[in-house]
Amino acid sequence: MQLGAYALAALEAPGRERLLRGCSTNVDNLDEGRWETLLSSALVVEEPLPLPYALLLVAVLGYAEYAYGAWWTAGVFLFGHVTATLMVYGALRGRAGPETRRALDVGTSYGFNAVLGALTSALPRGPVRTATRVGLLAAAAQPVLRRGRTFTDAGHLAALGIGVGLSLAFDYLSTRKALKIG
């Protein structure tokens, strides 16, 4: 992704803008039936990621792949990205102004938040796992509750909630499986 962002930065402004707008999951694109943007938007970033975020992204996705495998990680990432994007689209579709309808919306953050939330199932059962889930959701809710929030703030919270929901489902399924075996 970083290499792609550097390549994008080297493009002339009109070409860069056209490419980013073609990958964006904004309301106008989805209203026009450009559903392929649900995938392309997750794989493109506007500009190179800041080093701390890039390192955190690599650490979270790397640990998820190590702990659960590449297919699990990719599935949670894409499910969280697509589902949060569609939730935001549904909320904006009927009432967004022209600027919001055309807003550039690309990046890894929804998928990242979903994987982060789902990874809470890897923590020890009990108060640590519960406190981490509550803390992550509270931190993601902060931007949504402030003035000047954006639709992406809501999308981040939705994606994290999707990940935590998946984590709860994994917990339930692993408990049920253990009960059946034992």
Side-chain angles (χ1 to χ4, degrees), residues 25-109:
T25 51
N26 60 35
V27 175
D28 283 350
N29 276 350
L30 293 175
D31 274 352
E32 291 171 12
R34 300 195 59 220
W35 299 105
E36 72 278 2
T37 62
L38 289 170
L39 178 60
S40 65
S41 67
L43 305 174
V44 174
V45 293
E46 285 181 68
E47 55 194 37
L49 301 172
L51 185 59
Y53 180 77
L55 292 174
L56 185 60
L57 179 71
V58 168
V60 168
L61 296 180
Y63 181 76
E65 188 172 338
Y66 168 76
Y68 295 107
W71 288 109
W72 182 94
T73 304
V76 170
F77 185 96
L78 290 173
F79 179 76
H81 173 79
V82 168
T83 306
T85 298
L86 290 174
M87 290 170 72
V88 168
Y89 167 67
L92 293 175
R93 188 171 185 218
R95 59 179 187 243
E99 188 174 310
T100 301
R101 292 182 62 83
R102 290 189 305 269
L104 194 56
D105 189 18
V106 296
T108 60
S109 59

Side-chain angles (χ1 to χ4, degrees), residues 49 116 162 172:
L49 301 172
L116 181 64
I162 290 162
Y172 176 76

Side-chain angles (χ1 to χ4, degrees), residues 100-178:
T100 301
R101 292 182 62 83
R102 290 189 305 269
L104 194 56
D105 189 18
V106 296
T108 60
S109 59
Y110 290 2
F112 164 78
N113 277 284
V115 172
L116 181 64
L119 271 180
T120 59
S121 64
L123 296 170
R125 287 187 187 271
V128 169
R129 190 182 295 187
T130 301
T132 301
R133 286 173 174 157
V134 170
L136 286 171
L137 289 168
Q142 284 288 358
V144 174
L145 299 174
R146 71 170 156 71
R147 238 188 232 279
R149 65 187 168 264
T150 66
F151 66 86
T152 57
D153 295 329
H156 294 146
L157 177 59
L160 185 67
I162 290 162
V164 169
L166 289 171
S167 175
L168 292 167
F170 301 149
D171 289 355
Y172 176 76
L173 292 173
S174 69
T175 301
R176 298 288 299 166
K177 186 176 179 182

Side-chain angles (χ1 to χ4, degrees), residues 7-22:
L8 268 176
L11 290 176
E12 296 290 325
R16 180 179 184 278
E17 182 76 13
R18 190 172 42 258
L19 191 143
L20 287 170
R21 293 227 168 264

